[in-house]
Amino acid sequence: MKNIKGLLFDIGGVLYVGEKVIPGATEAITVLQKKFPMRFLTNTTRRTPLAMVEKLHRMGFSVKAEELFTALDATKEYVASQNGSVYTVLTDEADTWFSDLKSDKPDFVVVGDAYLNFNYTRLNSAFKLLQEGAELIAAAKNRYFKDEDGTLSMDAGGFIAALEFAAGVEAKLIGKPSRNFFHLAVGSMGLPPEEVLMIGDDIVSDIQGAQDAGLKAALVKTGKFQTSDLETDIAPDVILEDVTELSSLLL
């Protein structure tokens, strides 16, 4: 780890779980910020990027808006780059992020973690639009996440897979583990991927995704981590009990 010059952090499950900060996480980030440039990546799509920054500040993390890379932001930027319009399957809050790109005849169907908005009416409307030629975008395609009650809950992945199956299409993935998403964050620090360490709790989206993008990857045993993650063919470069162990590893 001697050649590591920049850090990428997953947020939920690494810095906090639900509304509870991982003990010692704020102090650990403060210490590391003195030596390393860092970016914070999240596939969380229930909340807007602005709300994510506010939550981090409320929890005591000193994070600038430009240091946050969200799947929603990247999705909106992609749609805008294509001069496209959207129909969304998102929460009411996240839906507002795309209010200026809405259309009755959209170019894209954007799906994220819609929570209670995952219902037949909403999904069937998306299905019909896909049949009419709209392209499917998965803002994020995680299978599950660690919920506030300490158990795993379904994420958007299963619902996106259902639309893919029903409509006979393949979704374009924007967030993790998309290589482009990792490279966007790494590029903003002016560093090559091999000099950046990704810290995450998702063995596929965070660890395998980062390694496939040329980064080093550290798996934390918090958040959605399960012991069965260590039985896969994915081998993290480092395994940590939690994010607080980073200081002794890198400093």
Side-chain angles (χ1 to χ4, degrees), residues 19-129:
E19 295 298 321
K20 295 182 179 179
V21 178
I22 299 295
T26 53
E27 295 83 357
I29 296 299
T30 298
V31 169
L32 290 165
Q33 280 176 323
K34 296 176 182 178
K35 182 175 177 61
F36 298 97
M38 54 183 66
R39 299 292 183 265
F40 300 84
L41 278 63
T42 180
N43 272 2
T44 298
T45 52
R46 286 188 186 182
R47 311 291 304 276
T48 66
L50 290 176
M52 292 298 297
V53 171
E54 290 173 358
K55 180 174 182 176
L56 286 166
H57 288 174
R58 188 170 66 251
M59 289 182 160
F61 295 100
S62 179
V63 177
K64 299 175 183 177
E66 59 268 26
E67 293 175 327
L68 180 68
F69 284 75
T70 77
L72 280 187
D73 249 340
T75 298
K76 185 173 183 179
E77 288 178 14
Y78 174 76
V79 172
S81 74
Q82 303 299 305
N83 294 315
S85 56
V86 301
Y87 171 84
T88 68
V89 182
L90 297 167
T91 61
D92 292 343
E93 177 183 328
D95 181 70
T96 64
W97 203 245
F98 295 87
S99 58
D100 57 333
L101 296 175
K102 292 291 192 65
S103 172
D104 292 332
K105 295 183 178 180
D107 302 295
F108 301 100
V109 171
V110 173
V111 185
D113 179 5
Y115 189 38
L116 298 180
N117 285 343
F118 278 132
N119 54 60
Y120 181 80
T121 299
R122 201 74 167 260
L123 289 169
N124 196 44
S125 294
F127 167 71
K128 291 179 183 295
L129 291 169

Side-chain angles (χ1 to χ4, degrees), residues 2 38 73 77 83 106 124 159 174 189 192 194 218 222 231:
K2 292 181 179 179
M38 54 183 66
D73 249 340
E77 288 178 14
N83 294 315
N124 196 44
F159 298 97
I174 301 295
M189 294 189 288
E194 62 269 19
T222 52
E231 299 167 4

Side-chain angles (χ1 to χ4, degrees), residues 217-228:
L219 177 68
V220 293
K221 294 182 178 181
T222 52
K224 68 176 70 171
F225 169 80
Q226 301 180 88
T227 54
S228 59

